[in-house]
Amino acid sequence: MHLLQAAQGWMGLGSLADALEELRNISQENQRHPAVLELRWIIHIQQENWDAALVAATDLVAEAPDSANSWLHRSYALRRATGGGVAQARAALEPALERFPKEPVISYNLSCYACQMKDLEVARQWFQCALKVGKKKEIKSMALADPDLEPLWEEIRQL
């Protein structure tokens, strides 16, 4: 995967267009390799090309369904893509909670989505789940810097 490394190099230099070009040169049979799809997703989110990021992340879920990051990447892009939104991102991520019950970022993100949908009771439940499976201090610190969870900040400060 020499071309993948070259693409990573271009990214490191801040040349996203050159990184994408390197990815385009990867053989057809390797285009759906999870490492290629993840790098493509990263490039697209850095470009704020949410529709392309969603395509890459959807392919990533198909190719690497046992990776929690696949599901998280898809919901992140879906929230921002054309025709997407918070409700769509939440619905796409909910099945991942059953697959990855020990991954705190999933319940944390579901808490964010519920909070943005004004479903504060559900947001509290998912946030508590994130605290149970994750490192409480880190989760709390992350939450107090996350505007998605602002409606719960006062409660979170008291935890």
Side-chain angles (χ1 to χ4, degrees), residues 120-139:
L120 298 184
E121 188 54 42
V122 171
R124 285 181 191 98
Q125 291 170 6
W126 276 326
F127 189 77
Q128 287 298 322
C129 181
L131 291 174
K132 285 179 191 168
V133 298
K135 295 179 180 172
K136 183 177 179 178
K137 187 175 180 178
E138 290 177 17
I139 300 286

Side-chain angles (χ1 to χ4, degrees), residues 23-24 26-33 36-37 40:
L23 290 180
R24 283 188 202 98
I26 291 176
S27 66
Q28 192 61 38
E29 64 268 13
N30 287 318
Q31 284 292 324
R32 293 183 63 87
H33 187 281
V36 172
L37 293 169
R40 189 179 308 281

Side-chain angles (χ1 to χ4, degrees), residues 81-147:
T82 305
V86 173
Q88 292 84 350
R90 177 180 171 176
L93 190 56
E94 283 177 335
L97 190 60
E98 288 182 36
R99 291 181 78 116
F100 310 99
K102 303 248 187 255
E103 176 52 60
V105 179
I106 292 173
S107 50
Y108 176 90
N109 281 9
L110 288 170
S111 178
C112 291
Y113 298 150
C115 206
Q116 289 304 295
M117 295 174 69
K118 312 281 190 257
D119 193 350
L120 298 184
E121 188 54 42
V122 171
R124 285 181 191 98
Q125 291 170 6
W126 276 326
F127 189 77
Q128 287 298 322
C129 181
L131 291 174
K132 285 179 191 168
V133 298
K135 295 179 180 172
K136 183 177 179 178
K137 187 175 180 178
E138 290 177 17
I139 300 286
K140 184 178 171 182
S141 176
M142 188 168 57
L144 292 173
D146 191 333

Side-chain angles (χ1 to χ4, degrees), residues 31-45:
Q31 284 292 324
R32 293 183 63 87
H33 187 281
V36 172
L37 293 169
E38 182 151 16
L39 187 58
R40 189 179 308 281
W41 177 84
I42 291 168
I43 292 167
H44 290 313
I45 64 161

